[in-house]
C-alpha cells in the first residue's frame, strides 16, 4: 500500500477524483468505459480520512514505513524502521497489552482496535489511531503483518462535518439545491420539496425545465452553465414561476456558486433560492404610497392658488391627469356658483350641476356617458359649461346624496368612437367641505390601466376634499390670506441670523405672489458651546393650515433645540408632535383619517369645526448641529432632500444623509451622521420648491442646483442670489426656502481646553488657567467673574461628579466656559435658606452670567455659563455684590 503518490485507477473505472477526466472536465465530456489514469493529487476520501500504512516483519519489528505514516504520525522512517512498535510508540503502562496483541497477530489473527501513540520517546500518549492489522507472509513464507492506520481525530471531524452539512442543507429555511456537472439535480432540501410538492428524492435527475416555465428555465440553465464554466457566482437572480395549488405567481431570488473538490476540480453548482414575492409586493405598495404621497404633495402645492372656482377645478384635474387617471371631470352645484349657500335639492343630489372642467389624456372629447352616469335629458357627453342633473337612482346621484365615493361597475361600450379607448373603471367622488357637498369629481381609467382599488379611492377622496375646501373657502380666502401672511412673516427669522463659526445667508420665496403663504420654513438656533442648529422644513400643503402647522413645528423645534438633544432625538420628538397636530379637541388625534370615511360621511354630533381640524399633517425636515471647535456637523433627516456641500476647489456634493420618514408618519427611528466641514466649505439646506417643478424632473433640478453652487461667488449673499437666478424659481408651484452657511470655525487661539485631575487642588489650577487665558485674550474685565464661576463649577464637579474633569473656554461673540465630568446627574438650582452654609453656587452662576445650563454627553454631562464681552459702555456685575445678595 502506498500512501504518498496517486495510484492508477482500474482499467475501465474512474479516477480517484470521481467523475471527470484529469483536466477537470465534466463527466459528460468523458467516454464511459474508457481507462482513466489519475496523475494529479487525488482529493479522494482517503485524503480526508488520512489513511497510512506500515508492515511488521516475522520478528515483530517494523520493516516498512510509508510516507503518509511519517506525515500523519510525525515519526520519520529512520526512527521507525527496525524498531519494536510497542517499545517505540506505545506508552509504558500499555506495553504489556501491546506485546500480547502483536504476538496474536504474528500467529495469524486479524485485529482492529484503537491504539494510543506518542511522538517522542518517553513522552505521554498524544494521539489516537485506529489500526487494522492483516496477517501476511514474506517471500520465505514466514508470518508478517500489514497494518492500515486511520487518524481517529480526522474520522471524528469528518463525522462532525457531515452532520453539520446535513443540518445546514436539511434545515435551511431557503430552497437549497445541488446541480451536477451535467446540470441535473443531485439533491434538493425539504424546503424546496415542500414548495413544489412531493418528496425530495423525486427531483433527483431533474432539470430547471421540470419546475420552471420555459423562459425562466432557459435563463436558469444558462446561468448554471456560466457559473460551472467560469466559477463566477451569480447573486440575486430574479426568477418567476408557479407552484402547485396556488394561482399567484411566485418570485424567487436565486444565488448560484460553483462547488469544488479537494483538488479544485468543479463538481457541481449550488443554488440558494429565497421567496421574495411578499417583499416585491411590499415594494410595489411602497412605490404606490410614494406616488400617492407625491401626488398629495403636488395637490397641496397647486390646488387653491387661485380665487377663481373654475381655475381651482382645472388645477385639480391637472394634478390628477395623467398621474392618477386617464380622464376626469368636475361638476359643481349651480346654486353655489351663483351665490346660494344651500339651493333646494342639494341634500338628495337632484339639484342642477354645471360641468366646470374636463381633462383627458386619451381624447379631447368630453367624458363618455357609456362609462359613467347619464345626466337627465343629455343626448350625449356633457360639455364644459353645460348645466345638467343626474337621475335619482344613478351612482353619481347616490354619491352626492350620501357623500360617499362610488366605484361605478365596469361598463364597456363601443358606441363612443370619439373616446379612442374603452373606459373600464370610474370613481364618482363627492366634493365635501364643512359637512356640505359642493360638487362631484369623476375619475376614469381606460383599458391598459389598473382598475381603481381601495387605496385609489382614499386618494381620490383626499384630492376631492382638498379641492372642495378651496372652492368652499374662495369667498373667505382674502381674509384668511391676510391673517396667514401676518403669521408667516412673524415666524421666519428676521434679517440675517448670526452664528459662531458660520456666515449665514437665507432666502424665502412664496409659491406665488398671490398667496405668499406656505409651509416652508428655516431657522438658525444658537446652542450652548457656540454650537449652531440649522433647520429647514416643509409642511406638505399650503395656505393657512400649512402656515399654522409650520408655526407649531418651528416653535417645537426651537423648544427641543434648547433642551440640547441629539438631532435624531429632536426629529423623533417632532414626529410625535406632528402626529398630534389636527386633533379634534377632545384629546384624540385624528391625523390618521386618510384611510377612513369620506369627509362628507361625518359621525353623528361631529361638528364642522371638528371635521375641519382633522387634516393630515405631514412634513419633511432636515436638522443639523454644527460645532465650530471640532468643525463637525451632525445631520438628521425626516424625508427631506439631502443637504449640499461645496468644498473649495471641488464640485458640489449631495451629502449621503439617511432620508428617514416624513414627520407625522411615525413608527420609524431616525438616523444621524457626522460630517467634517473644512474651513471655507459652503453648506446649503433647501426645500423641494427650489429644485422640483412640472417643467423638469427632480434629478435635473438637483443637478442644476449643484452646478449653480459650484460656480457661485465667494460672497455668500451674492451666492444666494446667483443660485436663485440660475434656477427656475418662478414656477409658482411651491414655496422656496434656501439657507446657506459658509464655514470658518473657531480659530485655535480662541479655544482653551484643559484636563484636570479629580482632586481638590484642581480648583486653584482651574482658576489659574482661566485667569491666564483671559489675560491672553485681553479680557481682564472678566477675570474676577470668570475665576469665581469656574471655581464654582469645578468644585461642584469634584463634589458631585466623578472621573477626570475637563475645562474649556471659547471666545467668539461671547465668552463661554464649559466644565465636563463623568457623572450623568444634571445640576438643579435651588434656593438656599439663610442658615444654610452651601447651596448658593448655581444661584451665583445665574446672577453673574448671561446664561447657564447643562447638557448630557455620551460620557457624562457638561455644565456651562456664558458671559457678554465688554463693550466699553456697560459694566460687568460685581462678584462681591452678587455674593452678598445671596444672604
Amino acid at each position: 500500500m502506498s500512501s504518498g503518490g496517486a495510484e492508477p485507477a482500474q482499467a475501465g473505472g474512474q479516477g480517484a477524483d470521481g467523475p471527470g477526466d484529469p483536466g477537470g472536465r465534466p463527466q459528460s465530456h468523458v467516454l464511459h468505459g474508457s481507462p482513466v489514469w489519475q496523475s494529479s493529487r487525488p482529493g479522494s476520501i482517503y485524503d480526508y480520512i488520512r489513511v497510512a500504512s506500515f508492515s511488521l516483519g516475522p520478528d515483530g519489528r517494523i520493516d516498512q514505513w510509508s510516507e503518509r505514516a511519517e506525515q500523519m504520525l510525525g515519526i520519520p522512517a529512520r526512527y521507525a524502521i527496525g524498531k519494536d512498535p510497542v517499545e517505540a510508540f506505545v506508552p509504558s503502562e500499555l506495553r504489556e497489552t501491546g506485546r500480547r496483541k502483536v504476538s496474536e497477530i504474528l500467529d495469524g489473527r486479524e485485529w482492529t482496535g484503537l491504539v494510543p501513540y506518542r511522538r517522542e520517546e518517553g513522552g505521554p500518549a498524544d494521539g489516537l489511531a485506529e489500526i487494522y492489522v492483516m496477517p501476511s507472509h514474506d517471500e520465505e513464507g514466514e508470518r508478517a503483518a500489514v497494518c492500515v492506520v486511520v487518524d481517529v481525530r480526522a474520522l471524528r471531524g469528518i463525522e462532525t462535518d457531515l452532520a453539520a452539512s446535513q443540518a445546514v442543507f436539511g434545515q435551511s429555511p431557503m430552497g437549497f439545491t445541488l446541480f451536477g456537472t451535467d446540470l441535473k439535480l443531485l439533491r434538493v432540501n425539504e424546503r424546496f420539496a415542500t414548495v413544489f410538492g412531493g418528496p425530495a428524492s423525486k427531483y433527483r435527475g431533474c432539470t430547471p425545465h421540470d419546475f420552471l416555465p420555459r423562459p425562466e428555465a432557459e435563463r436558469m440553465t444558462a446561468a448554471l452553465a456560466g457559473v460551472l464554466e467560469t466559477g463566477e457566482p451569480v447573486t440575486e437572480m430574479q426568477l418567476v414561476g408557479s407552484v402547485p395549488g396556488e394561482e399567484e405567481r411566485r418570485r424567487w431570488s436565486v444565488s448560484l456558486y460553483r462547488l469544488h473538490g479537494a483538488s479544485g476540480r468543479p463538481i457541481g453548482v449550488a443554488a440558494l433560492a429565497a421567496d421574495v414575492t411578499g417583499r416585491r409586493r411590499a415594494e410595489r405598495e411602497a412605490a404606490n404610497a410614494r406616488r400617492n404621497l407625491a401626488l398629495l404633495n403636488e395637490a397641496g402645492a397647486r390646488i387653491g392658488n387661485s380665487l377663481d372656482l373654475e381655475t381651482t377645478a382645472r388645477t385639480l384635474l391637472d394634478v390628477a391627469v395623467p398621474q392618477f387617471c386617464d380622464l376626469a371631470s368636475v361638476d359643481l352645484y349651480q346654486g353655489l356658483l351663483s351665490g346660494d349657500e344651500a339651493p333646494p335639492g342639494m341634500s338628495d343630489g337632484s339639484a342642477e350641476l354645471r360641468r366646470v372642467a374636463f381633462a383627458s389624456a386619451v381624447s379631447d372629447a368630453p367624458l363618455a356617458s357609456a362609462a359613467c352616469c347619464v345626466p337627465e335629458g343629455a343626448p350625449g357627453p356633457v360639455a364644459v359649461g353645460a348645466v345638467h342633473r343626474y337621475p335619482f337612482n344613478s351612482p353619481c346621484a347616490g354619491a352626492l346624496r350620501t357623500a360617499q365615493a362610488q366605484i361605478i361597475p365596469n361598463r364597456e361600450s363601443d358606441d363612443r368612437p370619439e373616446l379612442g379607448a374603452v373606459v373600464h373603471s370610474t370613481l364618482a367622488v363627492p366634493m365635501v367641505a364643512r359637512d356640505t357637498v359642493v360638487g362631484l369629481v369623476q375619475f376614469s381609467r381606460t383599458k391598459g390601466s389598473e382598475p381603481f382599488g381601495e387605496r385609489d379611492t382614499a386618494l381620490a377622496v383626499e384630492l376631492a376634499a382638498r379641492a372642495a375646501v378651496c372652492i368652499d373657502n374662495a369667498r373667505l380666502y382674502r381674509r384668511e390670506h391676510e391673517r396667514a401672511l401676518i403669521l408667516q412673516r412673524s415666524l421666519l427669522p428676521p434679517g440675517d441670523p448670526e452664528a459662531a463659526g458660520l456666515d449665514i445667508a437665507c432666502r424665502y420665496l412664496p409659491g406665488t405672489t398671490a398667496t405668499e403663504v406656505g409651509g416652508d420654513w428655516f431657522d438658525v438656533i444658537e446652542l450652548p458651546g457656540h454650537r449652531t442648529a440649522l433647520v429647514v422644513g416643509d409642511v406638505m400643503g399650503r395656505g393657512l393650515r400649512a402656515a399654522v402647522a409650520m408655526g407649531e413645528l418651528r416653535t417645537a423645534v426651537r423648544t427641543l433645540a434648547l433642551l440640547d438633544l441629539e438631532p435624531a432625538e429632536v426629529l423623533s420628538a417632532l414626529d410625535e408632535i406632528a402626529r398630534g397636530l389636527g386633533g379634534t379637541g377632545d384629546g384624540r388625534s385624528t391625523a390618521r383619517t386618510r384611510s377612513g370615511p369620506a369627509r362628507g360621511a361625518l359621525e353623528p354630533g361631529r361638528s364642522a369645526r371638528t371635521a375641519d381640524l382633522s387634516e393630515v399633517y405631514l412634513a419633511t425636515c432636515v436638522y443639523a448641529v454644527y460645532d465650530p471647535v471640532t468643525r463637525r456637523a451632525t445631520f438628521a433627516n425626516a424625508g427631506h432632500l439631502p443637504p449640499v456641500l461645496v468644498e473649495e476647489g471641488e464640485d458640489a456634493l449631495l451629502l449621503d444623509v439617511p432620508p428617514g420618514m416624513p414627520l407625522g408618519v411615525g413608527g420609524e427611528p431616525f438616523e444621524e451622521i457626522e460630517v467634517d466641514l473644512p474651513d471655507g466649505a459652503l453648506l446649503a439646506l433647501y426645500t423641494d420648491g427650489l429644485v422640483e417643478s412640472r417643467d423638469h424632473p427632480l434629478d435635473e433640478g438637483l443637478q442644476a442646483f449643484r452646478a449653480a453652487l459650484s460656480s457661485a461667488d465667494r460672497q455668500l449673499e451674492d451666492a444666494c442670489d446667483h443660485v436663485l437666478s440660475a434656477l427656475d424659481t418662478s414656477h409658482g408651484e411651491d414655496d422656496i426656502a434656501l439657507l446657506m452657511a459658509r464655514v470658518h470655525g473657531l480659530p485655535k487661539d480662541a479655544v482653551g481646553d484643559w484636563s484636570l485631575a479629580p482632586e481638590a487642588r484642581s480648583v486653584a489650577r482651574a482658576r489659574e488657567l482661566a485667569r491666564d487665558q483671559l489675560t491672553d485674550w485681553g479680557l481682564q474685565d472678566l477675570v474676577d467673574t470668570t475665576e469665581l464661576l469656574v471655581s464654582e463649577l469645578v468644585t461642584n464637579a469634584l463634589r458631585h461628579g466623578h472621573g477626570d474633569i475637563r475645562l474649556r473656554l471659547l471666545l467668539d461673540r461671547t465668552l463661554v466656559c464649559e466644565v465636563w465630568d463623568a457623572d450623568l446627574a444634571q445640576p438643579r438650582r435651588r434656593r438656599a435658606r439663610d442658615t444654610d452654609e452651601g447651596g448658593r453656587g448655581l444661584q451665583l452662576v445665574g446672577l453673574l452670567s448671561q446664561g447657564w445650563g447643562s447638557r448630557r454627553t455620551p460620557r457624562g454631562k457638561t455644565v456651562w455659563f456664558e458671559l457678554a464681552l465688554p463693550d466699553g459702555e456697560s459694566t460687568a456685575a460685581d462678584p462681591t455684590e452678587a455674593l452678598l445678595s445671596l444672604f
Side-chain angles (χ1 to χ4, degrees):
M1 173 181 294
S2 173
S3 60
E7 297 185 6
Q10 295 294 330
Q14 295 177 343
D17 268 353
D21 65 356
R25 294 192 301 271
Q27 182 181 3
S28 58
H29 296 168
V30 180
L31 294 176
H32 293 289
S34 60
V36 179
W37 295 87
Q38 178 60 263
S39 59
S40 63
R41 184 171 180 265
S44 68
I45 190 65
Y46 299 106
D47 289 314
Y48 288 106
I49 63 177
R50 300 185 66 189
V51 177
S53 66
F54 64 90
S55 62
L56 301 179
D59 56 356
R61 295 182 179 274
I62 299 173
D63 60 1
Q64 290 188 12
W65 188 258
S66 68
E67 293 181 2
R68 185 65 65 86
E70 180 176 336
Q71 297 170 3
M72 189 173 76
L73 302 177
I75 302 173
R78 63 179 181 274
Y79 293 129
I81 295 177
K83 288 191 176 182
D84 181 350
V86 175
E87 293 290 338
F89 313 121
V90 177
S92 57
E93 64 273 11
L94 301 175
R95 288 178 182 175
E96 184 63 31
T97 303
R99 292 192 186 95
R100 185 167 58 254
K101 293 300 180 182
V102 171
S103 299
E104 294 174 356
I105 292 167
L106 295 178
D107 287 341
R109 294 174 58 183
E110 291 188 358
W111 181 82
T112 302
L114 297 177
V115 177
Y117 65 90
R118 62 187 179 192
R119 296 176 182 267
E120 297 180 2
E121 180 68 26
D126 56 3
L128 189 65
E130 186 175 69
I131 301 180
Y132 175 43
V133 182
M134 298 172 288
S136 63
H137 296 84
D138 61 8
E139 60 185 4
E140 297 178 358
E142 294 188 53
R143 290 283 186 180
V146 176
C147 304
V148 178
V149 183
V150 178
D151 191 335
V152 173
R153 290 174 298 180
L155 282 177
R156 299 298 178 264
I158 292 174
E159 293 173 355
T160 302
D161 292 344
L162 288 175
S165 299
Q166 179 63 28
V168 171
F169 189 88
Q171 300 173 18
S172 173
M174 297 184 293
F176 202 160
T177 60
L178 297 178
F179 288 87
T181 54
D182 56 357
L183 305 186
K184 293 184 178 181
L185 281 172
L186 297 176
R187 189 179 179 188
V188 302
N189 69 343
E190 291 299 328
R191 176 59 180 169
F192 181 94
T194 300
V195 171
F196 288 98
S201 58
K202 164 186 173 182
Y203 297 94
R204 184 175 181 86
C206 292
T207 67
H209 290 81
D210 295 315
F211 51 87
L212 288 175
R214 182 175 178 180
E216 300 294 83
E218 291 177 353
R219 289 180 56 225
M220 179 73 169
T221 302
L224 287 169
V227 172
L228 185 62
E229 181 173 352
T230 65
E232 291 293 329
V234 172
T235 58
E236 297 186 357
M237 180 176 68
Q238 301 292 312
L239 295 176
V240 179
S242 302
V243 299
E246 294 187 13
E247 296 182 0
E248 182 184 11
R249 292 172 64 83
R250 295 281 192 92
R251 181 178 292 271
W252 296 280
S253 176
V254 181
S255 298
L256 308 175
Y257 58 93
R258 190 168 72 180
L259 301 177
H260 303 84
S263 62
R265 179 183 58 82
I267 61 175
V269 178
L272 280 172
D275 192 331
V276 295
T277 307
R279 186 175 70 187
R280 287 301 297 268
R281 187 186 305 112
E283 290 175 354
R284 289 195 300 269
E285 292 179 356
N288 290 335
R290 288 193 296 270
R291 182 204 66 182
N292 293 347
L293 191 63
L295 196 62
L296 284 176
N297 186 29
E298 183 181 5
R302 297 177 58 187
I303 296 176
N305 287 337
S306 172
L307 298 177
D308 182 72
L309 300 182
E310 286 82 356
T311 301
T312 301
R314 287 194 297 269
T315 303
L316 169 63
L317 301 191
D318 289 341
V319 171
V321 180
Q323 294 92 334
F324 178 67
C325 61
D326 300 315
L327 305 98
S329 65
V330 177
D331 298 326
L332 297 179
Y333 277 116
Q334 179 70 4
L336 290 181
L337 293 175
S338 60
D340 190 351
E341 289 293 337
M346 281 185 59
S347 60
D348 61 6
S350 62
E352 289 185 337
L353 298 106
R354 187 170 73 187
R355 179 70 47 91
V356 296
F358 169 78
S360 172
V362 296
S363 173
D364 294 334
L367 195 67
S369 61
C372 62
C373 308
V374 181
E376 286 185 348
V382 179
V384 175
V387 178
H388 61 89
R389 285 187 175 93
Y390 288 113
F392 181 81
N393 294 327
S394 66
C396 292
L400 291 168
R401 185 167 54 253
T402 63
Q404 294 282 350
Q406 302 280 337
I407 298 181
I408 301 177
N410 180 23
R411 299 176 59 188
E412 297 184 359
S413 174
D414 295 329
D415 60 355
R416 299 291 180 182
E418 68 275 10
L419 243 186
V422 177
V423 174
H424 76 111
S425 184
T426 299
L427 267 174
V429 184
M431 304 178 70
V432 183
R434 293 189 180 90
D435 298 339
T436 302
V437 179
V438 299
L440 182 76
V441 186
Q442 293 185 67
F443 303 100
S444 297
R445 289 178 179 174
T446 60
K447 276 192 171 180
S449 301
E450 292 184 3
F452 290 111
E454 183 179 351
R455 292 181 182 270
D456 296 320
T457 303
L459 177 61
V461 168
E462 183 65 27
L463 290 174
R466 288 175 182 265
V469 170
C470 295
I471 290 173
D472 191 57
N473 288 339
R475 298 178 303 275
L476 306 175
Y477 185 80
R478 288 182 179 87
R479 186 184 68 185
E480 292 186 357
H481 163 65
E482 185 65 25
R483 295 175 179 177
L485 182 59
I486 295 173
L487 175 65
Q488 177 93 26
R489 290 175 175 173
S490 67
L491 291 176
L492 292 176
D496 292 328
E498 296 182 352
L502 296 173
D503 294 329
I504 303 293
C506 48
R507 298 289 187 273
Y508 175 80
L509 299 178
T512 65
T513 56
T515 60
E516 298 187 29
V517 178
D520 292 12
W521 90 91
F522 61 89
D523 211 343
V524 179
I525 307 170
E526 294 186 57
L527 299 177
H530 286 320
R531 295 172 303 132
T532 303
L534 305 176
V535 190
V536 168
D538 182 3
V539 177
M540 297 183 187
R542 81 168 35 195
L544 181 60
R545 295 181 184 277
V548 171
M550 178 270 287
E552 292 180 297
L553 293 178
R554 178 179 179 271
T555 302
V557 169
R558 280 193 155 265
T559 303
L560 294 170
L562 294 179
L563 297 178
D564 214 353
L565 302 175
E566 295 296 327
E569 295 177 340
V570 170
L571 292 187
S572 295
L574 199 62
D575 178 57
E576 293 294 330
I577 294 173
R579 293 171 65 187
L581 294 181
T584 62
D586 58 358
R588 296 176 298 172
S589 173
T590 58
R592 295 297 184 267
T593 60
R594 182 176 308 211
S595 60
R599 292 186 176 223
L602 298 176
E603 300 174 2
R606 186 177 175 191
S607 66
R609 177 62 178 167
T610 299
D612 196 46
L613 286 174
S614 60
E615 180 68 41
V616 176
Y617 284 96
L618 295 175
T620 63
C621 180
V622 61
Y623 185 92
V625 174
Y626 173 68
D627 188 337
V629 179
T630 62
R631 290 168 172 78
R632 180 173 299 166
T634 304
F635 294 87
N637 192 355
H640 205 81
L641 293 173
V644 177
L645 178 65
V646 187
E647 298 185 18
E648 292 189 61
E650 302 289 340
D651 292 334
L653 174 68
L654 289 174
L655 293 180
D656 187 15
V657 181
M661 298 296 290
L663 300 175
V665 174
E668 293 293 333
F670 295 98
E671 301 180 40
E672 60 185 38
I673 64 168
E674 291 187 348
V675 179
D676 292 326
L677 303 182
D679 287 350
L682 180 65
L683 180 66
L685 307 180
Y686 53 98
T687 57
D688 56 359
L690 181 65
V691 295
E692 186 177 24
S693 73
R694 288 181 298 174
D695 299 330
H696 57 77
L698 177 61
D699 290 342
E700 290 185 8
L702 288 173
Q703 183 63 32
F705 181 41
R706 293 169 57 191
L709 284 174
S710 300
S711 60
D713 190 86
R714 297 297 299 171
Q715 295 296 324
L716 200 56
E717 293 293 336
D718 295 338
C720 268
D721 295 335
H722 172 73
V723 168
L724 294 180
S725 62
L727 300 180
D728 177 20
T729 58
S730 58
H731 49 71
E733 299 174 24
D734 200 359
D735 308 319
I736 295 174
L738 175 62
L739 176 62
M740 298 176 63
R742 180 82 67 185
V743 178
H744 53 76
L746 286 181
K748 291 184 178 180
D749 57 4
V751 179
D753 197 342
W754 306 275
S755 293
L756 303 173
E759 53 191 18
R761 60 181 180 179
S762 293
V763 178
R765 176 60 177 162
R767 289 196 299 266
E768 178 184 355
L769 292 170
R771 181 175 58 254
D772 293 343
Q773 184 65 73
L774 265 62
T775 301
D776 292 341
W777 286 338
L779 300 177
Q780 287 82 0
D781 293 343
L782 299 180
V783 168
D784 293 340
T785 302
T786 303
E787 278 192 79
L788 179 59
L789 299 186
V790 165
S791 177
E792 288 293 337
L793 295 190
V794 174
T795 300
N796 284 345
L798 287 172
R799 181 176 301 171
H800 304 292
H802 62 272
D804 289 342
I805 300 170
R806 183 179 175 188
L807 171 65
R808 190 166 75 169
L809 295 177
L810 306 176
L811 177 61
D812 193 65
R813 290 171 293 124
T814 60
L815 175 68
V816 173
C817 173
E818 298 177 330
V819 175
W820 305 16
D821 64 74
D823 188 69
L824 293 176
Q826 297 286 328
R828 181 173 60 90
R829 181 176 176 179
R830 65 183 180 86
R831 181 171 296 278
R833 293 171 296 182
D834 294 341
T835 57
D836 290 343
E837 296 183 359
R840 297 176 176 83
L842 293 181
Q843 294 186 47
L844 182 64
V845 174
L847 285 173
L848 294 178
S849 65
Q850 183 176 340
W852 77 278
S854 66
R855 67 178 185 273
R856 288 187 177 178
T857 65
R859 297 182 180 179
K861 68 174 182 297
T862 300
V863 183
W864 58 271
F865 66 82
E866 185 175 10
L867 296 177
L869 300 182
D871 55 6
E873 298 179 0
S874 60
T875 58
D878 186 358
T880 303
E881 293 182 0
L883 280 170
L884 293 176
S885 68
L886 297 179
F887 294 92

